[in-house]
Amino acid sequence: MGGIGFFLATSISLGIWGWQYPLPDIRYLLGAIALMFFVGFRDDLVELKAKHKILGQLVAVILVVVAGDIRVRDFHGFMGIGELPIWFSYGFTAFVLLALTNAFNLIDGLDGLAATVALITLGLLGSWFYFQGLESYSVLCFTLLGGVLSFLVFNWHPAKIFMGDTGSLTLGFAMGSLVVAFMDYNSALPEGALLKFGPSFTMGIVLLIYPLYDMARVFTRRIRRGQHPMTADKSHVHHFLMRMGLSHDKVALILGGTQILLITLVLGMSDLSDNLALPVLSAVVLFMGYRLDKITPKYIKKKVNGSLKTDQKSAMKSTKKDKVKLEKSIVEPEKINLN
């Protein structure tokens, strides 16, 4: 339940500093984040059934999408689609938020990993909202970032506390909502505006690319094996990297660094449309995943063969020592103390 710490830290910080900013603009978002916190908290106390968990998440999503009007309104020509009908916009945005929330929840299986990904995303979003004059969104990003950063001190390997669903659902939902808001405001900026990104949809995806890819990857592998998509296993990307002999902290840094590189790649395509940027990003990510699947078994095989050789050498040394001891015991029998 480490999420309690940074949720309270964020709430107190907003209470102290929020009066200076137009927080009523995001009142529905703040209420939905609080609701998602209680869903996660309840699940950590007594595990909820999947349908009850999704139902609670759906209420929070509806509060943001319908009441808060934070939604994907337009595809801007991606796949030939422009402005979305309102019913499709609501449905698609709800699906996106549920996917982002649960994708982030799934990566919370390694010391420091989820918090590292969150710091990168919140830092970039907070800075962008600040430069665009969207102060309410910016202060939410930075108060969340401060709470997560202080949590990471105790969550870094070897971790003393963990997020649990209390933290991962709250944080995943908050970041998903902020990403959707970013796409909406970015697309509304006039041409030539400061930090306006052409591939708005692609830029939103890359901010949470690792959780999204990891969820799609494990779900695909499980379905191909005839398992339920939510079946727990060790097929996540971070599990594969750990099998290669990397420690928790190295895996978290590698995946965080990879996310930064992918964001930099999309920033370099800021003048392109989503029709070009998204296929390029998808190709790069899929290729990296393909290479990981090919390289990991080789490392494991090499590691196992090295362990076997070491064991064989140890066994041979042990056999030689036992043989020498046996010869000595025959040639030089122990003296018997007759006293």
Side-chain angles (χ1 to χ4, degrees), residues 230-293:
M230 297 303 293
T231 303
D233 60 17
K234 292 190 176 182
S235 60
H236 293 275
V237 172
H238 57 264
H239 288 135
F240 272 62
L241 291 173
M242 288 187 68
R243 289 192 192 108
M244 293 169 63
L246 298 172
S247 60
H248 284 241
D249 47 353
K250 288 182 180 178
V251 172
L253 290 172
I254 287 171
L255 292 175
T258 302
Q259 178 157 336
I260 292 173
L261 288 175
L262 292 172
I263 291 171
T264 305
L265 171 66
V266 176
L267 287 173
M269 299 187 289
S270 59
D271 294 329
L272 301 179
S273 68
D274 284 306
N275 288 316
L276 293 174
L278 188 55
V280 170
L281 175 65
S282 301
V284 170
V285 171
L286 290 173
F287 176 75
M288 293 172 69
Y290 170 78
R291 290 298 300 160
L292 178 66
D293 287 340

Side-chain angles (χ1 to χ4, degrees), residues 147-170:
V148 173
L149 186 60
S150 58
F151 163 80
L152 185 58
V153 173
F154 302 97
N155 184 238
W156 197 251
H157 185 71
K160 298 179 179 66
I161 54 177
F162 307 94
M163 280 192 191
D165 283 359
T166 304
S168 60
L169 289 179
T170 304

Side-chain angles (χ1 to χ4, degrees), residues 3 5-11 13-14 29-30 33 115 118-119 122-123 125 137-151 167 170-176 178:
F6 61 75
F7 176 79
L8 289 178
T10 301
S11 302
S13 297
L14 286 172
L29 175 57
L30 294 176
I33 291 172
L119 290 179
L122 290 170
L125 284 174
Y137 287 97
S138 181
V139 73
L140 175 59
C141 288
F142 285 127
T143 49
L144 273 170
L145 187 148
V148 173
L149 186 60
S150 58
F151 163 80
T170 304
L171 198 54
F173 175 74
M175 289 194 299
L178 290 165

